[in-house]
Amino acid sequence: MTPADPRLDFRSDTRTVPDARMRAAMTAAEVGDDVYGDDPTVALLEARVADLLGTEAALLTPTSTMANLLASLAAAGSWGPRGAPRLVVGEDTHMAFLEGDGLRTFAGVELLPVAQRPDGLPDLDAVDEVLAGGGGRPAVVCLENTSMMRSGNALDAAATGALADLAHRYGAHVHLDGARLANAAVALGVRPAELAEPADSVAFSVSKGLGAPVGGLLCGTQAFVARARGLRTELGGSMHQAGVLAAPALIALERVPELAADHATAAALATGFATVPGVELMRPPRPTNMVMARLAGLTPEQCAARLAGHGVRVLPLPNGFVRFAVHRAHDMIGVRAAVSALAAVAATAPVARTTTAGALSGRGLSTTRTEEA
């Protein structure tokens, strides 16, 4: 298969590749054996991410998915015989619809999806009802920032704090899936630590928009991370000379402010799409690096396939939209090509007129909607 032009591949911000500086850092990395705790480059990365998020400690994992799994396991480990823990998650989050099977199988949790607000925060009344009906069983309450299925909306600290206050009243552990927390912090103009502070544990990715080739980190207290470290070994997630992966991640951390350029590119993409007749855009209140669009008369899979015919790669989603995830490889050349491709696809879709819709699937999220004429 011919590789896609990186400027036209919008499937995910994991599509970034390490640049020359990152590759040089990998070559020169000082390494030890992280299984024995003596890889100095890994230790430096963990210390810097812990400082960035304002936590006592951090643990390098191969993926943020493993970090989320370890968070559930590490929290459950302190509960003893009180029953299978409940994992309360937003119904449209990555943990609910892409990680749910793994969480049930390997963490042994009862997964309890709840409705989400238009901004992506789990509905507080729904969470309250679930926790109140638990009969004292332990619980982990999870949230996602940014909220991917809400077009990458950034949640502020007040929203996270409100959920954490509620969960803590029931003695629940609060886990933040902050794979794109750096995007949220840049969009809101605050420190990542401010957004992480209400949570008991945080998963953080360096391999999405920040551009490192591999890696997630699980952050929390020293005791929590120590439990997670032992569990990582049991899951087969420990790595030996992992400094070669930590070295480019250290460079990625320096590039947090550069995410603002990705957000500007995404905004330009949305502006261009808004000029195309027949296109419906999701309009998050605090946008970051994602744009979600759909065309009347086409399923997400059909839309993605037709865009691929014009060289533009996108991700079809179960909410009816296709996702354009912007990262450092994208530029205005790619934006113009993507707008032209969507216009060409729209020209083959049913004739439409543009209206303004006040709700998306009953969730109150602002959109620009097309209807068949």
Side-chain angles (χ1 to χ4, degrees):
M1 179 180 293
T2 303
D5 182 338
R7 295 175 300 182
L8 304 182
D9 189 346
F10 294 92
R11 286 175 289 176
S12 178
D13 43 7
T14 62
R15 302 292 296 175
T16 52
V17 296
D19 58 16
R21 186 181 170 206
M22 285 185 172
R23 293 178 187 274
M26 295 171 76
T27 300
E30 183 181 358
V31 300
D33 189 335
D34 188 48
V35 172
Y36 290 89
D38 60 14
D39 188 302
T41 310
V42 171
L44 180 59
L45 173 64
E46 291 173 342
R48 288 192 178 171
V49 171
D51 181 66
L52 181 71
L53 299 187
T55 62
E56 293 179 3
L59 174 69
L60 177 63
T61 61
T63 65
S64 295
T65 295
M66 179 175 281
N68 287 334
L69 174 60
L70 288 171
S72 302
L73 286 165
S78 63
W79 291 330
R82 287 193 287 158
R86 295 167 297 151
L87 195 65
V88 184
V89 296
E91 62 188 358
D92 289 335
T93 62
H94 199 278
M95 291 182 72
F97 74 88
L98 287 174
E99 301 177 19
D101 288 344
L103 289 162
R104 293 185 189 94
T105 301
F106 301 113
V109 299
E110 179 186 2
L111 197 68
L112 298 172
V114 297
Q116 290 171 251
R117 301 189 325 191
D119 61 2
L121 189 76
D123 181 81
L124 299 183
D125 289 338
V127 173
D128 195 0
E129 182 177 356
V130 169
L131 294 178
R137 289 170 56 206
V140 179
V141 176
C142 306
L143 70 156
E144 183 182 69
N145 198 9
T146 62
S147 182
M148 190 273 283
M149 293 292 279
R150 298 297 191 271
S151 201
N153 185 59
L155 289 166
D156 61 21
T160 302
L163 179 68
D165 288 346
L166 170 62
H168 288 153
R169 288 202 297 272
Y170 288 96
H173 179 101
V174 177
H175 176 64
L176 170 59
D177 178 2
R180 296 183 176 92
L181 193 67
N183 290 91
V186 169
L188 295 167
V190 300
R191 296 177 300 109
E194 180 178 328
L195 301 180
E197 192 277 333
D200 300 304
S201 59
V202 186
F204 182 81
S205 176
V206 291
S207 62
K208 291 186 169 66
L210 293 177
V214 174
L217 291 104
L218 177 60
C219 307
T221 65
Q222 292 281 1
F224 180 84
V225 169
R227 289 198 299 274
R229 188 177 296 276
L231 291 162
R232 184 188 68 174
T233 299
E234 294 176 12
L235 286 175
S238 297
M239 299 173 285
H240 294 279
Q241 285 71 44
V244 295
L245 301 177
L250 286 165
I251 293 173
L253 293 181
E254 299 174 11
R255 295 175 173 171
V256 169
E258 297 176 19
L259 294 174
D262 297 345
H263 300 173
T265 303
L269 193 65
T271 298
F273 289 164
T275 67
V276 179
V279 173
E280 176 184 348
L281 294 177
M282 192 181 293
R283 297 288 193 178
R286 299 183 184 90
T288 54
N289 69 318
M290 293 185 186
V291 180
M292 290 189 182
R294 65 180 172 188
L295 288 169
L298 295 179
T299 67
E301 292 74 18
Q302 290 169 333
C303 185
R306 294 191 187 191
L307 284 169
H310 294 272
V312 175
R313 308 293 295 275
V314 298
L315 183 69
L317 292 172
N319 63 356
F321 287 77
V322 296
R323 184 186 77 177
F324 294 76
V326 174
H327 55 74
R328 59 189 304 109
H330 295 127
D331 57 18
M332 289 309 297
I333 294 174
V335 166
R336 288 190 289 270
V339 172
S340 296
L342 193 62
V345 172
T348 67
V351 177
R353 67 175 184 268
T354 301
T355 63
T356 299
L360 173 64
S361 302
R363 293 178 183 132
L365 189 66
S366 174
T367 66
T368 302
R369 172 173 294 172
T370 61
E371 297 176 346
E372 292 190 23

